Amino acid sequence: MAGNGNGNGHEEFSFSNGVVARNGLAKVQTHKKQSEICHDDSTTPVKAQTIDELHSLQKKKSAPTTPIKGSEGAFATISDEERQQLQLQSISASLASLTRETGPKVVKGDPARKTDTTPKSHVTHHHFTPTLNISDSALKFTHILYNLSPGELYEQAIKYEHGSFITSSGALATLSGAKTGRSPRDKRVVKDETTEVELWWGKGSPNIEMDEHTFMVNRERAVDYLNSLDKVFVNDQFLNWDPENRLKVRIVSARAYHSLFMHNMCIRPTPEELENFGTPDFTIYNAGQFPCNRFTHYMTSSTSVDLNLARREMVILGTQYAGEMKKGLFSVMHYLMPKRQILSLHSGCNIGKDGDVALFFGLSGTGKTTLSTDHNRYLIGDDEHCWGDNGVSNIEGGCYAKCIDLSREKEPDIFNAIKFGTVLENVVFDEHTREVDYTDKSVTENTRASYPIEYIPNAKLPCVGPHPKNVILLACDAFGVLPPVSKLNLAQTMYHFISGYTALVAGTEEGVKEPQATFSACFGAAFIMLHPTKYAAMLAEKMQKHGATAWLVNTGWSGGSYGSGKRIKLAHTRKIIDAIHSGSLLKAKYKKTQVFGLEIPTEVEGVPSEILDPVNTVSWPFLTSFHYCLVLGFNFLLLMYLSFGLQWTDTKAYDETLLKLAGLFKKNFEVFANYKIGKDNKLTEEIVAAGPIF
């Protein structure tokens, strides 16, 4: 009995007649022919002698060579070897110890990668050795992992960093160590002859001083730590989508998590832009795994985040929380951009299909992310922007979203953005399925996701737009006395912009307590460098020049404070925002409120007119009359209550709460009222006069 294995009639094997194998089946005998093979799916053997060589063939090399600006001839190029040498020379200079006058020996590539079995002809070593070698650090190479891709950084994180896992959605889950948030009390800025005059110091300021010597001590400590490692990650990227005013930034870090985070948050250069990158405008040394010396002058803990604006450098010691890098660079932009007459803003920004741009300011819990993410509009950015002569531009290349209680239903765009390439900080997930539980606060309540902005479906790329048409200041007023929307004049805009008000809801473990007013200058006091009135004056100037209108929108309570009133419905707030975008709210009739002197519309389409003026939410006196209850009937009264929905119990309680909030505004503004703008101080007086009067 014969079988045709390849269908060509040639016998390849047969079952021997009468020959039985051990298992009782007929024994198979093969008939090998010298001129033929036993199968027809063969291919040319791989060009590799070892498994390592085979793995090396799997990866395609990508090192484009492009014309260099200013080179002679249209096709003048720089070789790959020269380009690599220049990059490494620049990185070595960044890692230089100033006391030893030289940088370390640097070489590109992962030190763990095997090369001993690869033929010498296939190996290309790109390294740079300084001319002066007068320290022990000169005896070793520091391997540079330069601008790695997300896939490469995943491999590094999972292999070498404990607490790094791939979640079910493809995101990289990481841990930031003991610190799960920023450390504002450990942030220092070098105070020198220039910054002493230019920056905002003293009461209310986020800027805590340090001297040049202390900065250099910490810088040396960070650089020595990074140079002691076998490998460091280096990211060369950009800030600001406005090509005329972008900054080149270099981030040197010890963790793949930090490198991937900044890959997402900064603007990613093209290969061509990377070749011409040159010397960075600002450098971050992130040695967060290594503590600062607590005996060093100005140090109050083992954590220190230091800015030296003259040297254009930032040093991080004692904290692995990645947000320090993002917000540190934001602080730098708050210093550098106003020097170019560009206003840096802590805001969300979107643009309509007709080209109308809106800025959204608001502290945590005000709905800034929710309201700036609109499926009918394109997202320019969610957090940091510049407003210059060319219009608005996003500072960043990514988004840094809160994840606590995240769901597909509440925030579908953010939920769907958590995929391969996204960094998930400090989240909790199922050990088997790797499904993330966004409600779990076991590690921290400040769980975060960092992802490129193009992961948002309606993101506008490039992230730039024309001059804003509307400036929206969001406040979650838990006192329940601010109107749902009011139109602001320029002086009021500056006053409320400087105030940066919202209210936090107190804990309820021991019953309902009073809400707490929170003020953050310019809606981002922790990051501003100059006095708030300087940013406010720039905002008013640009609004006046380009015809923008400002609005104060309350997304908090109405008809009573937290615990007695009700939260203004999101649907009503969205209707108000829609009316602002469309321009219809500008055409509405307005009336003025008491104390705060706000202009409020008498009607907004889709919003109950009764809630537009907080005074109207005070309960009617006759509703307590038994006579009217009989005459009007219970059902009618219930209907009226539901219609109003939000009602204060009496006029006295409303008035007392209104005056209380006004007093808190006034007290908060005292620290700003003493700052003089201009020789005659008229602008300061106008801003103060725009506050509550009582």
Side-chain angles (χ1 to χ4, degrees):
M1 180 178 175
N4 297 330
N6 58 8
N8 58 9
H10 291 192
E11 181 178 273
E12 293 185 349
F13 63 87
S14 64
F15 295 116
S16 301
N17 294 328
V19 180
V20 180
R22 289 182 182 179
N23 55 11
L25 299 176
K27 189 173 182 179
V28 178
Q29 290 185 341
T30 58
H31 306 281
K32 186 176 181 181
K33 298 182 179 181
Q34 296 295 326
S35 60
E36 296 179 6
I37 55 176
C38 297
H39 53 83
D40 64 351
D41 59 349
S42 63
T43 58
T44 305
V46 294
K47 298 177 180 179
Q49 301 299 318
T50 67
I51 191 67
D52 290 319
E53 285 187 55
L54 179 60
H55 288 167
S56 71
L57 295 174
Q58 187 181 21
K59 298 173 184 176
K60 181 180 177 182
K61 187 176 180 181
S62 58
T65 302
T66 54
I68 299 298
K69 293 178 182 177
S71 300
E72 294 181 2
F75 300 96
T77 61
I78 184 171
S79 70
D80 178 61
E81 193 74 30
E82 292 172 313
R83 179 177 66 85
Q84 297 277 2
Q85 191 75 1
L86 287 173
Q87 283 180 345
L88 290 174
Q89 186 175 346
S90 174
I91 293 168
S92 178
S94 292
L95 285 168
S97 164
L98 299 182
T99 59
R100 288 189 287 273
E101 303 178 5
T102 181
K105 291 180 180 179
V106 290
V107 60
K108 274 198 175 181
D110 186 352
R113 187 171 296 168
K114 296 178 181 179
T115 57
D116 56 331
T117 56
T118 306
K120 297 298 181 182
S121 60
H122 292 170
V123 179
T124 302
H125 292 291
H126 296 295
H127 64 270
F128 172 75
T129 304
T131 54
L132 294 174
N133 296 320
I134 55 175
S135 69
D136 289 343
S137 63
L139 299 177
K140 63 176 282 292
F141 275 101
T142 299
H143 287 75
I144 304 299
L145 301 182
Y146 184 70
N147 276 51
L148 296 191
S149 68
E152 293 172 306
L153 291 169
Y154 266 50
E155 293 165 4
Q156 290 287 326
I158 291 167
K159 189 172 183 180
Y160 300 109
E161 296 177 12
H162 293 297
S164 296
F165 299 90
I166 300 177
T167 67
S168 60
S169 66
L172 180 69
T174 65
L175 292 173
S176 64
K179 297 294 180 80
T180 58
R182 290 183 298 104
S183 303
R185 294 181 181 179
D186 295 313
K187 183 181 175 184
R188 302 284 185 271
V189 182
V190 173
K191 191 174 187 179
D192 53 29
E193 292 180 357
T194 303
T195 57
E196 183 178 9
V197 177
E198 293 180 338
L199 300 193
W200 177 29
W201 304 100
K203 185 179 179 181
S205 169
N207 302 316
I208 305 173
E209 70 175 274
M210 74 185 307
D211 59 29
E212 174 83 12
H213 174 76
T214 305
F215 175 85
M216 297 309 298
V217 169
N218 283 351
R219 182 192 187 276
E220 192 78 349
R221 193 172 176 89
V223 168
D224 283 348
Y225 169 73
L226 292 168
N227 286 339
S228 73
L229 302 175
D230 287 335
K231 62 185 177 186
V232 295
F233 299 88
V234 177
N235 291 43
D236 280 348
Q237 297 182 251
F238 299 116
L239 292 180
N240 196 355
W241 283 83
D242 178 2
E244 295 179 14
N245 294 290
R246 73 180 182 183
L247 245 64
K248 297 185 293 182
V249 294
R250 171 168 292 165
I251 303 98
V252 185
S253 60
R255 290 192 62 182
Y257 147 50
H258 291 150
S259 185
L260 181 56
F261 177 90
M262 294 308 282
H263 170 87
N264 290 344
M265 297 312 303
C266 294
I267 299 168
R268 294 156 290 283
T270 64
E272 293 76 19
E273 290 172 331
L274 203 56
E275 288 184 39
N276 289 326
F277 194 84
T279 304
D281 300 315
F282 198 89
T283 303
I284 293 178
Y285 299 97
N286 189 342
Q289 290 166 293
F290 197 66
C292 67
N293 186 338
R294 299 183 68 166
F295 289 98
T296 306
H297 193 38
Y298 294 101
M299 299 299 101
T300 55
S301 74
S302 60
T303 298
S304 189
V305 179
D306 309 327
L307 278 175
N308 189 324
L309 296 171
R311 290 186 57 86
R312 303 289 179 93
E313 291 178 340
M314 178 181 179
V315 171
I316 299 175
L317 290 165
T319 173
Q320 298 179 62
Y321 181 66
E324 295 286 10
M325 295 183 288
K326 165 187 161 67
K327 291 306 184 183
L329 289 176
F330 191 33
S331 295
V332 171
M333 295 295 281
H334 269 310
Y335 173 73
L336 295 178
M337 291 298 105
K339 286 177 170 288
R340 305 183 187 184
Q341 299 305 307
I342 296 171
L343 178 60
S344 49
L345 301 165
H346 187 214
S347 68
C349 183
N350 65 25
I351 181 172
K353 295 174 182 176
D354 296 328
D356 59 297
V357 170
L359 293 172
F360 292 81
F361 296 90
L363 301 179
S364 179
T366 59
K368 182 181 72 170
T369 302
T370 301
L371 295 172
S372 61
T373 305
D374 188 330
H375 287 274
N376 296 317
R377 299 172 66 83
Y378 299 107
L379 180 70
I380 292 177
D382 75 327
D383 195 46
E384 303 174 7
H385 294 87
C386 285
W387 186 354
D389 292 336
N390 300 324
V392 292
S393 57
N394 191 349
I395 290 175
E396 301 179 297
C399 302
Y400 193 34
K402 288 184 177 180
C403 289
I404 195 67
D405 296 326
L406 178 68
S407 69
R408 191 189 300 272
E409 294 71 31
K410 288 195 297 184
E411 300 286 355
D413 286 344
I414 296 175
F415 190 91
N416 292 329
I418 298 175
K419 55 186 179 182
F420 180 81
T422 297
V423 175
L424 278 175
E425 281 183 330
N426 301 315
V427 298
V428 177
F429 51 85
D430 184 277
E431 64 178 355
H432 174 60
T433 66
R434 298 293 197 263
E435 290 282 346
V436 177
D437 181 359
Y438 292 109
T439 65
D440 197 314
K441 306 173 186 177
S442 298
V443 180
T444 178
E445 191 170 337
N446 187 35
T447 52
R448 296 270 184 166
S450 163
Y451 49 86
I453 193 166
E454 56 263 30
Y455 282 15
I456 298 296
N458 63 331
K460 182 185 181 299
L461 296 173
C463 302
V464 296
H467 296 286
K469 181 179 177 182
N470 293 292
V471 175
I472 300 170
L473 311 183
L474 300 170
C476 179
D477 177 30
F479 291 93
V481 293
L482 289 183
V485 60
S486 52
K487 184 173 65 173
L488 306 177
N489 58 36
L490 286 178
Q492 288 175 324
T493 302
M494 288 187 281
Y495 182 88
H496 287 279
F497 178 70
I498 293 171
S499 297
Y501 164 72
T502 194
L504 301 177
V505 176
T508 57
E509 289 183 7
E510 299 177 5
V512 177
K513 297 180 180 179
E514 287 189 352
Q516 297 178 344
T518 300
F519 297 93
S520 183
C522 307
F523 293 94
F527 323 119
I528 61 177
M529 304 293 283
L530 313 180
H531 195 278
T533 50
K534 292 187 177 181
Y535 298 106
M538 287 185 70
L539 177 63
E541 180 185 355
K542 291 184 179 297
M543 286 178 59
Q544 188 173 37
K545 182 178 180 180
H546 301 289
T549 305
W551 310 86
L552 180 63
V553 175
N554 175 21
T555 62
W557 275 255
S558 184
S561 299
Y562 171 78
S564 59
K566 293 184 180 179
R567 187 86 187 252
I568 297 171
K569 293 181 179 179
L570 177 60
H572 291 160
T573 302
R574 285 199 181 279
K575 287 290 184 182
I576 289 169
I577 299 297
D578 289 343
I580 291 173
H581 290 323
S582 68
S584 63
L585 203 53
L586 278 175
K587 303 172 185 176
K589 293 181 180 180
Y590 287 84
K591 63 180 182 179
K592 207 168 191 175
T593 65
Q594 298 295 316
V595 182
F596 279 90
L598 300 171
E599 295 283 338
I600 58 175
T602 56
E603 60 179 318
V604 178
E605 185 179 351
V607 181
S609 298
E610 297 81 10
I611 72 169
L612 295 176
D613 187 348
V615 173
N616 292 338
T617 64
V618 179
S619 297
W620 297 349
F622 68 77
L623 289 181
T624 59
S625 169
F626 179 71
H627 171 73
Y628 280 103
C629 287
L630 291 176
V631 173
L632 297 176
F634 175 78
N635 288 336
F636 175 75
L637 290 178
L638 178 63
L639 178 64
M640 290 303 295
Y641 175 78
L642 292 175
S643 176
F644 280 74
L646 315 166
Q647 295 187 327
W648 282 86
T649 55
D650 59 76
T651 305
K652 183 181 179 182
Y654 168 79
D655 290 340
E656 288 178 350
T657 307
L658 178 63
L659 292 174
K660 178 181 179 179
L661 181 61
L664 292 172
F665 264 87
K666 194 170 184 178
K667 183 179 180 181
N668 171 72
F669 213 83
E670 288 175 358
V671 69
F672 309 118
N674 297 326
Y675 188 83
K676 311 298 181 185
I677 302 179
K679 294 180 180 180
D680 54 9
N681 198 36
K682 284 186 178 179
L683 184 57
T684 303
E685 293 173 359
E686 288 180 16
I687 296 173
V688 174
I693 299 172
F694 58 102

